[in-house]
Amino acid sequence: MNDAGAAIDAVWRRDWGRLLAGLAARTRRLDLAEDALGEAFARATERWPVDGVPANPPGWLTTVAHRHVLGRLRAEAVAGRKAPLLVVPDRAPAPDDDAGSAPDAAIADERLRLVFMCCHPALDGASQSALALRLVIGTSTADIARLFLVKEATMAARLTRAKQRIIRTGIPFAVPTDLELRPRLDAVVRTIYLAFTAGYAPGTGADLLRADLAGDAIRLARLFDELVPGDPSVRGLLALCLFQHSRRDARVADGRLVTLREQDRDRWRRDEIAEATSLLRSLPRGDGYGEELRLQAAIAAEHSLASEAASTDWHAIAASYAALERITPSPVVRLNRAVAVAEASGPAAGLALLDGLDDALPASHRLAAVRAELHERLGDRVGAASWWRTSIDRCANDVERDHLRRRLAALDG
Amino acid sequence: MKYMILLAGHGTGPTWNQLSDDERAGYMERHHAFGRACAERNGVEIVAGEALDDGSTATTMRTSPSGDVTITDGPFAEATEHIGGFYVLDAPHLDVVLELCRILPPYDIELRPVLEVR
């Protein structure tokens, strides 16, 4: 990628959310703000390779986007239309919103306003997540559509409806009051976790890892940890994401998935693991969603703290999964628990825990792959080959499917 | 913006007539508290608010596409929850309304923005 392309990419990842938040607050037109920012990035793609990267890229984009909004507003005025406006309560007066001039705290605050607006309980859950990905992180509508397994046009329509609903029902561009804040945190945490997962494990397509997107989600989690210091859900989420994100450099090699067992642990980010560990230690045992996240972080910690795969404490991991299953009896948790139990107590014990999961996970390539692995370890080559084939048929991620094919080939060889 | 606040009783809950005197006094106190909170809040004004007699006193008038009018006794048949009262509130945004409505008795509440028809 050339310098201009890299600069556009970087500013997109780093600044999309705060630029949009600034534009939305300033123009009070969510629809126009989003269109205009997209337009400004398109303009940058044309101009920057020719004119060079401007000294202040976010400032350049804001200026272009704002000019675009003003043009649209003039056109509407000429046509005699008057659109309803976004409610922006109690906004601190800022002399100039051009990025770079506003203080950091104000920027952080406006991104939080954007997240809380997107995650308002008066919007349905699927719309909340999609909208937050689009508006806060700048994920393309096509990518969000793939994440939610719908057509791009369907997702575009859903996003438009959600934005209209915000305006028409008077959902404010604001951080909720203390009274409303607590109950709404879990919704936001779920949304951020979904955004992280979208980057960490894209279900379809050619990328195995979109580390930049995952990094954005972590930045959001950090913002929330500052806003509500010590909130168990937020802090548990941050710890969990940091543990997983710390392995990003080791997780893919030459476009291939590298399993946890095979990863080069020298490539794990030790500073992030240390931060996650200290966050995890600050969390007391709790209940509800916060405890779910804490247990998942504790599991990730066991992996991160083992100096080599063979020294992993699988009994501790199996115990955490059992605790997790008591809180959320889900088939996915059971599947993960079975893997841990197989490592701790042998493949037969793991397979026994998979009984009855097929109805709940009829299309899961992971369930088939785990069965294949455990049959292979038991020495059942015929059973293993059959399950590897099933998992290959079900897998939608190109890189992961290649990995499964190699496992089948290794069995035959 | 203005919001219509529709107050409905739970389908299974007691109606106003089934409440004890103490319970009624408690309900009324919460309506008064709601009124005081609205008065104290910047940018909030109660435009209208009334209690309604129960569904057995309702009359429904329907007009068919061809213009025929039929009149029947009773409320909209579809409503499983009986609307017992309403407010029209002018407020800066939805969160202010949601916060204030927490003060009201434990109704099921539907909030609808009032359309500005020019």
Side-chain angles (χ1 to χ4, degrees):
Chain A
M1 195 184 293
N2 58 32
D3 287 353
I8 291 166
D9 207 45
V11 75
W12 181 294
R13 273 187 273 120
R14 200 181 53 237
D15 297 314
W16 170 279
R18 69 188 182 96
L19 292 180
L20 185 66
L23 279 167
R26 190 176 176 182
T27 65
R28 300 184 57 196
R29 286 290 297 271
L30 207 47
D31 51 346
L32 293 190
E34 188 198 337
D35 284 354
L37 190 55
E39 212 38 62
F41 271 98
R43 231 16 225 141
T45 318
E46 289 167 20
R47 295 311 321 166
W48 295 7
V50 182
D51 302 343
V53 178
N56 176 2
W60 188 97
L61 288 161
T62 302
T63 305
V64 172
H66 197 241
R67 205 180 294 145
H68 189 80
V69 172
L70 291 178
R72 291 275 298 272
L73 288 175
R74 269 195 296 274
E76 284 182 6
V78 168
R81 286 203 309 270
K82 194 163 172 285
L85 298 175
L86 178 67
V87 184
V88 184
D90 309 326
R91 187 163 181 255
D96 183 9
D97 288 313
D98 284 353
S101 62
D104 279 353
I107 291 166
D109 222 39
E110 302 222 315
R111 275 227 288 195
L112 286 171
R113 286 168 176 251
L114 194 58
V115 180
F116 272 112
M117 181 191 75
C118 292
C119 301
H120 198 282
L123 298 170
D124 72 274
S127 295
Q128 289 176 20
S129 301
L131 203 59
L133 284 167
R134 177 72 198 125
L135 297 188
V136 184
I137 298 178
T139 312
S140 74
T141 305
D143 275 351
I144 301 171
R146 279 198 297 160
L147 179 70
F148 287 96
L149 308 175
V150 298
K151 291 202 181 83
E152 185 175 346
T154 308
M155 182 50 71
R158 187 184 295 173
L159 288 168
T160 300
R161 269 199 310 274
K163 280 179 284 181
Q164 285 172 350
R165 185 169 164 84
I166 286 173
I167 305 291
R168 290 173 63 182
T169 60
I171 291 173
F173 182 72
V175 174
T177 57
D178 288 351
L179 189 66
E180 293 277 346
L181 187 61
R182 290 266 145 193
R184 282 176 51 187
L185 269 173
D186 275 2
V188 177
V189 169
R190 280 177 205 276
T191 297
I192 297 176
Y193 192 23
L194 186 67
F196 176 79
T197 311
Y200 187 72
T204 60
D207 306 336
L208 197 66
L209 184 67
R210 295 177 200 139
D212 47 356
L213 188 58
D216 274 4
I218 286 178
R219 276 193 287 281
L220 270 180
R222 269 190 211 288
L223 280 180
F224 268 84
D225 192 47
E226 284 164 26
L227 179 76
V228 259
D231 179 84
S233 300
V234 179
R235 189 152 282 188
L237 172 79
L238 181 56
L240 172 60
C241 292
L242 279 171
F243 277 126
Q244 295 187 351
H245 199 52
S246 73
R247 300 183 203 126
R248 61 190 171 282
D249 297 334
R251 205 165 169 260
V252 180
D254 304 326
R256 286 181 179 180
L257 173 82
V258 184
T259 61
L260 198 52
R261 179 192 302 274
E262 294 159 347
Q263 284 173 20
D264 175 1
R265 296 185 179 219
D266 291 338
R267 302 189 68 193
W268 290 359
R269 308 276 177 109
R270 289 292 153 191
D271 52 337
E272 292 173 14
I273 291 173
E275 186 192 354
T277 306
S278 102
L279 285 169
L280 178 62
R281 288 200 180 124
S282 75
L283 285 171
R285 255 174 229 282
D287 51 23
Y289 189 47
E291 180 65 1
E292 268 180 56
L293 292 166
R294 194 191 68 81
L295 285 166
Q296 289 188 48
I299 291 162
E302 288 297 338
H303 289 299
S304 298
L305 298 176
S307 57
E308 50 180 347
S311 62
T312 309
D313 185 349
W314 285 105
H315 286 283
I317 292 174
S320 288
Y321 272 122
L324 200 54
E325 203 182 352
R326 279 194 293 277
I327 302 177
T328 55
S330 93
V332 174
V333 172
R334 167 60 70 90
L335 178 58
N336 288 324
R337 186 182 153 211
V339 171
V341 166
E343 295 291 343
S345 314
L351 273 176
L353 281 173
L354 296 178
D355 287 348
L357 275 190
D358 301 79
D359 288 347
L361 299 170
S364 166
H365 73 277
R366 258 206 85 208
L367 174 59
V370 168
R371 280 222 172 88
E373 171 79 36
L374 298 183
H375 277 282
E376 195 174 320
R377 288 194 202 177
L378 282 170
D380 172 11
R381 292 165 59 98
V382 176
S386 161
W387 282 115
W388 284 126
R389 282 191 201 97
T390 304
S391 73
I392 290 163
D393 287 347
R394 290 177 182 172
C395 185
N397 182 293
D398 300 346
V399 180
E400 214 173 340
R401 195 167 50 238
D402 284 347
H403 171 79
L404 296 169
R405 286 210 180 96
R406 283 194 302 279
R407 292 297 307 265
L408 176 63
L411 188 71
D412 291 340
Chain B
M1 48 198 289
K2 288 197 190 73
Y3 291 88
M4 176 82 172
I5 302 173
L6 292 166
L7 309 174
H10 304 280
T12 54
T15 65
W16 178 256
N17 293 332
Q18 293 167 328
L19 293 174
S20 71
D21 288 350
D22 279 358
E23 287 170 325
R24 287 184 195 182
Y27 270 47
M28 285 315 294
E29 177 42 43
R30 294 180 77 153
H31 280 281
H32 292 316
F34 175 76
R36 287 193 299 274
C38 290
E40 285 164 11
R41 191 72 176 249
N42 259 349
V44 175
E45 186 192 346
I46 297 178
V47 178
E50 301 291 348
L52 302 176
D53 206 339
D54 65 58
S56 67
T57 65
T59 304
T60 300
M61 178 172 153
R62 288 188 170 84
T63 307
S64 75
S66 59
D68 295 334
V69 170
T70 50
I71 294 168
T72 51
D73 70 317
F76 288 125
E78 294 81 8
T80 53
E81 297 171 302
H82 297 291
I83 293 165
F86 69 91
Y87 287 102
V88 175
L89 201 67
D90 201 345
H93 56 78
L94 182 63
D95 278 2
V96 171
V97 184
L98 288 169
E99 193 184 323
L100 288 167
C101 282
R102 283 169 182 261
I103 302 169
L104 290 170
Y107 304 119
D108 290 342
I109 298 174
E110 180 175 325
L111 304 170
R112 284 271 197 103
V114 174
L115 267 185
E116 301 214 8
V117 182
R118 276 171 291 161

